[in-house]
PDB file of all heavy atoms in Angstrom:
ATOM      1  N   ILE V 821     -31.831  15.218 283.662  1.00  0.00           N
ATOM      2  CA  ILE V 821     -31.440  16.446 282.967  1.00  0.00           C
ATOM      3  C   ILE V 821     -32.687  17.234 282.639  1.00  0.00           C
ATOM      4  O   ILE V 821     -33.630  16.690 282.047  1.00  0.00           O
ATOM      5  CB  ILE V 821     -30.629  16.154 281.687  1.00  0.00           C
ATOM      6  CG1 ILE V 821     -29.352  15.439 282.055  1.00  0.00           C
ATOM      7  CG2 ILE V 821     -30.366  17.433 280.946  1.00  0.00           C
ATOM      8  CD1 ILE V 821     -28.595  14.957 280.858  1.00  0.00           C
ATOM      9  N   PHE V 872     -38.939   5.873 280.226  1.00  0.00           N
ATOM     10  CA  PHE V 872     -37.527   5.792 279.845  1.00  0.00           C
ATOM     11  C   PHE V 872     -37.237   6.578 278.548  1.00  0.00           C
ATOM     12  O   PHE V 872     -36.330   6.197 277.787  1.00  0.00           O
ATOM     13  CB  PHE V 872     -37.030   4.375 279.669  1.00  0.00           C
ATOM     14  CG  PHE V 872     -37.416   3.476 280.810  1.00  0.00           C
ATOM     15  CD1 PHE V 872     -38.135   2.303 280.598  1.00  0.00           C
ATOM     16  CD2 PHE V 872     -37.110   3.823 282.107  1.00  0.00           C
ATOM     17  CE1 PHE V 872     -38.469   1.477 281.635  1.00  0.00           C
ATOM     18  CE2 PHE V 872     -37.465   3.000 283.157  1.00  0.00           C
ATOM     19  CZ  PHE V 872     -38.141   1.853 282.934  1.00  0.00           C
ATOM     20  N   ASP V 874     -35.615   9.464 276.404  1.00  0.00           N
ATOM     21  CA  ASP V 874     -34.447  10.280 276.631  1.00  0.00           C
ATOM     22  C   ASP V 874     -34.804  11.628 277.231  1.00  0.00           C
ATOM     23  O   ASP V 874     -35.683  12.337 276.722  1.00  0.00           O
ATOM     24  CB  ASP V 874     -33.708  10.468 275.332  1.00  0.00           C
ATOM     25  CG  ASP V 874     -32.341  11.126 275.523  1.00  0.00           C
ATOM     26  OD1 ASP V 874     -32.306  12.236 276.084  1.00  0.00           O
ATOM     27  OD2 ASP V 874     -31.364  10.471 275.158  1.00  0.00           O
ATOM     28  N   VAL V 876     -33.237  14.460 277.420  1.00  0.00           N
ATOM     29  CA  VAL V 876     -32.988  15.643 276.605  1.00  0.00           C
ATOM     30  C   VAL V 876     -34.115  15.810 275.594  1.00  0.00           C
ATOM     31  O   VAL V 876     -34.609  16.917 275.352  1.00  0.00           O
ATOM     32  CB  VAL V 876     -31.650  15.517 275.877  1.00  0.00           C
ATOM     33  CG1 VAL V 876     -31.431  16.641 274.932  1.00  0.00           C
ATOM     34  CG2 VAL V 876     -30.528  15.498 276.892  1.00  0.00           C
ATOM     35  N   ILE V 877     -34.571  14.721 275.034  1.00  0.00           N
ATOM     36  CA  ILE V 877     -35.653  14.780 274.056  1.00  0.00           C
ATOM     37  C   ILE V 877     -36.893  15.340 274.724  1.00  0.00           C
ATOM     38  O   ILE V 877     -37.547  16.287 274.230  1.00  0.00           O
ATOM     39  CB  ILE V 877     -35.971  13.386 273.483  1.00  0.00           C
ATOM     40  CG1 ILE V 877     -34.791  12.879 272.710  1.00  0.00           C
ATOM     41  CG2 ILE V 877     -37.215  13.426 272.612  1.00  0.00           C
ATOM     42  CD1 ILE V 877     -35.006  11.516 272.095  1.00  0.00           C
ATOM     43  N   VAL V 881     -38.630  18.908 273.712  1.00  0.00           N
ATOM     44  CA  VAL V 881     -40.005  18.833 273.184  1.00  0.00           C
ATOM     45  C   VAL V 881     -40.962  19.629 274.127  1.00  0.00           C
ATOM     46  O   VAL V 881     -41.901  20.300 273.674  1.00  0.00           O
ATOM     47  CB  VAL V 881     -40.421  17.376 273.031  1.00  0.00           C
ATOM     48  CG1 VAL V 881     -41.881  17.277 272.739  1.00  0.00           C
ATOM     49  CG2 VAL V 881     -39.638  16.754 271.920  1.00  0.00           C
ATOM     50  N   SER V 891     -48.469  30.360 273.583  1.00  0.00           N
ATOM     51  CA  SER V 891     -48.699  31.323 272.496  1.00  0.00           C
ATOM     52  C   SER V 891     -50.069  31.155 271.895  1.00  0.00           C
ATOM     53  O   SER V 891     -50.747  32.111 271.560  1.00  0.00           O
ATOM     54  CB  SER V 891     -47.666  31.103 271.387  1.00  0.00           C
ATOM     55  OG  SER V 891     -46.361  31.179 271.918  1.00  0.00           O
ATOM     56  N   LYS V1008     -46.150  36.503 274.125  1.00  0.00           N
ATOM     57  CA  LYS V1008     -45.576  35.283 273.550  1.00  0.00           C
ATOM     58  C   LYS V1008     -44.093  35.156 273.765  1.00  0.00           C
ATOM     59  O   LYS V1008     -43.378  36.133 273.551  1.00  0.00           O
ATOM     60  CB  LYS V1008     -45.794  35.311 272.024  1.00  0.00           C
ATOM     61  CG  LYS V1008     -47.162  34.987 271.542  1.00  0.00           C
ATOM     62  CD  LYS V1008     -47.138  34.942 270.033  1.00  0.00           C
ATOM     63  CE  LYS V1008     -48.543  35.028 269.486  1.00  0.00           C
ATOM     64  NZ  LYS V1008     -48.557  35.146 268.032  1.00  0.00           N
ATOM     65  N   GLU V1059     -24.850  46.146 270.770  1.00  0.00           N
ATOM     66  CA  GLU V1059     -24.835  44.715 270.462  1.00  0.00           C
ATOM     67  C   GLU V1059     -23.624  44.038 271.117  1.00  0.00           C
ATOM     68  O   GLU V1059     -23.742  42.898 271.563  1.00  0.00           O
ATOM     69  CB  GLU V1059     -24.786  44.472 268.937  1.00  0.00           C
ATOM     70  CG  GLU V1059     -26.120  44.718 268.231  1.00  0.00           C
ATOM     71  CD  GLU V1059     -26.287  46.143 267.837  1.00  0.00           C
ATOM     72  OE1 GLU V1059     -25.337  46.953 268.122  1.00  0.00           O
ATOM     73  OE2 GLU V1059     -27.300  46.486 267.206  1.00  0.00           O
TER      74      GLU V1059
ATOM     75  N   PRO C 891     -31.337   8.832 269.300  1.00  0.00           N
ATOM     76  CA  PRO C 891     -31.963   9.357 270.497  1.00  0.00           C
ATOM     77  C   PRO C 891     -33.487   9.121 270.467  1.00  0.00           C
ATOM     78  O   PRO C 891     -34.238  10.039 270.192  1.00  0.00           O
ATOM     79  CB  PRO C 891     -31.608  10.844 270.433  1.00  0.00           C
ATOM     80  CG  PRO C 891     -31.377  11.099 269.006  1.00  0.00           C
ATOM     81  CD  PRO C 891     -30.958   9.825 268.346  1.00  0.00           C
ATOM     82  N   PHE C1055     -24.838  17.389 271.334  1.00  0.00           N
ATOM     83  CA  PHE C1055     -26.134  18.053 271.230  1.00  0.00           C
ATOM     84  C   PHE C1055     -25.884  19.480 270.726  1.00  0.00           C
ATOM     85  O   PHE C1055     -25.322  20.324 271.429  1.00  0.00           O
ATOM     86  CB  PHE C1055     -26.796  18.081 272.613  1.00  0.00           C
ATOM     87  CG  PHE C1055     -28.221  18.509 272.557  1.00  0.00           C
ATOM     88  CD1 PHE C1055     -28.947  18.458 271.392  1.00  0.00           C
ATOM     89  CD2 PHE C1055     -28.879  18.895 273.716  1.00  0.00           C
ATOM     90  CE1 PHE C1055     -30.260  18.840 271.366  1.00  0.00           C
ATOM     91  CE2 PHE C1055     -30.192  19.249 273.715  1.00  0.00           C
ATOM     92  CZ  PHE C1055     -30.895  19.236 272.519  1.00  0.00           C
ATOM     93  N   ARG C1134     -27.077  46.802 260.978  1.00  0.00           N
ATOM     94  CA  ARG C1134     -27.432  48.217 261.136  1.00  0.00           C
ATOM     95  C   ARG C1134     -26.214  49.124 260.908  1.00  0.00           C
ATOM     96  O   ARG C1134     -26.257  50.298 261.164  1.00  0.00           O
ATOM     97  CB  ARG C1134     -28.045  48.471 262.514  1.00  0.00           C
ATOM     98  CG  ARG C1134     -27.098  48.440 263.663  1.00  0.00           C
ATOM     99  CD  ARG C1134     -27.758  48.825 264.930  1.00  0.00           C
ATOM    100  NE  ARG C1134     -26.856  48.766 266.058  1.00  0.00           N
ATOM    101  CZ  ARG C1134     -26.034  49.754 266.356  1.00  0.00           C
ATOM    102  NH1 ARG C1134     -25.997  50.846 265.637  1.00  0.00           N
ATOM    103  NH2 ARG C1134     -25.194  49.627 267.386  1.00  0.00           N
ATOM    104  N   PRO C1292     -54.721  30.218 265.566  1.00  0.00           N
ATOM    105  CA  PRO C1292     -53.333  30.663 265.639  1.00  0.00           C
ATOM    106  C   PRO C1292     -52.365  29.572 265.163  1.00  0.00           C
ATOM    107  O   PRO C1292     -52.574  28.395 265.532  1.00  0.00           O
ATOM    108  CB  PRO C1292     -53.121  30.981 267.128  1.00  0.00           C
ATOM    109  CG  PRO C1292     -54.465  31.235 267.651  1.00  0.00           C
ATOM    110  CD  PRO C1292     -55.429  30.396 266.863  1.00  0.00           C
ATOM    111  N   GLU C1294     -49.643  28.792 266.153  1.00  0.00           N
ATOM    112  CA  GLU C1294     -48.847  28.125 267.172  1.00  0.00           C
ATOM    113  C   GLU C1294     -49.364  26.730 267.541  1.00  0.00           C
ATOM    114  O   GLU C1294     -48.676  25.895 268.147  1.00  0.00           O
ATOM    115  CB  GLU C1294     -48.850  28.947 268.491  1.00  0.00           C
ATOM    116  CG  GLU C1294     -47.969  30.150 268.446  1.00  0.00           C
ATOM    117  CD  GLU C1294     -48.720  31.381 267.933  1.00  0.00           C
ATOM    118  OE1 GLU C1294     -49.969  31.278 267.737  1.00  0.00           O
ATOM    119  OE2 GLU C1294     -48.113  32.428 267.732  1.00  0.00           O
ATOM    120  N   SER C1301     -44.879  18.864 268.820  1.00  0.00           N
ATOM    121  CA  SER C1301     -44.192  18.380 269.994  1.00  0.00           C
ATOM    122  C   SER C1301     -44.893  17.161 270.597  1.00  0.00           C
ATOM    123  O   SER C1301     -44.221  16.230 271.078  1.00  0.00           O
ATOM    124  CB  SER C1301     -44.051  19.502 271.072  1.00  0.00           C
ATOM    125  OG  SER C1301     -45.313  20.065 271.291  1.00  0.00           O
ATOM    126  N   PRO C1334     -33.817   4.570 275.228  1.00  0.00           N
ATOM    127  CA  PRO C1334     -33.069   5.709 274.738  1.00  0.00           C
ATOM    128  C   PRO C1334     -31.762   5.843 275.475  1.00  0.00           C
ATOM    129  O   PRO C1334     -31.568   5.443 276.575  1.00  0.00           O
ATOM    130  CB  PRO C1334     -33.965   6.896 275.069  1.00  0.00           C
ATOM    131  CG  PRO C1334     -34.943   6.361 276.073  1.00  0.00           C
ATOM    132  CD  PRO C1334     -35.086   4.929 275.813  1.00  0.00           C
ATOM    133  N   ARG C1335     -30.849   6.502 274.770  1.00  0.00           N
ATOM    134  CA  ARG C1335     -29.548   6.661 275.311  1.00  0.00           C
ATOM    135  C   ARG C1335     -29.304   8.124 275.618  1.00  0.00           C
ATOM    136  O   ARG C1335     -29.847   8.985 274.935  1.00  0.00           O
ATOM    137  CB  ARG C1335     -28.499   6.218 274.304  1.00  0.00           C
ATOM    138  CG  ARG C1335     -28.895   4.916 273.647  1.00  0.00           C
ATOM    139  CD  ARG C1335     -27.930   4.649 272.526  1.00  0.00           C
ATOM    140  NE  ARG C1335     -26.587   4.819 273.072  1.00  0.00           N
ATOM    141  CZ  ARG C1335     -25.906   3.878 273.741  1.00  0.00           C
ATOM    142  NH1 ARG C1335     -26.447   2.752 273.942  1.00  0.00           N
ATOM    143  NH2 ARG C1335     -24.682   4.149 274.141  1.00  0.00           N
ATOM    144  N   THR C1339     -24.691  13.723 277.931  1.00  0.00           N
ATOM    145  CA  THR C1339     -23.886  13.558 279.123  1.00  0.00           C
ATOM    146  C   THR C1339     -22.564  12.837 278.872  1.00  0.00           C
ATOM    147  O   THR C1339     -21.823  12.671 279.808  1.00  0.00           O
ATOM    148  CB  THR C1339     -24.666  12.807 280.175  1.00  0.00           C
ATOM    149  OG1 THR C1339     -25.279  11.680 279.556  1.00  0.00           O
ATOM    150  CG2 THR C1339     -25.716  13.666 280.806  1.00  0.00           C
TER     151      THR C1339
END
Side-chain angles (χ1 to χ4, degrees):
Chain V
I821 297 173
F872 312 126
D874 189 300
V876 174
I877 296 182
V881 169
S891 304
K1008 280 184 198 175
E1059 285 88 358
Chain C
F1055 192 16
R1134 73 174 180 83
E1294 286 90 6
S1301 51
R1335 316 172 49 83
T1339 45

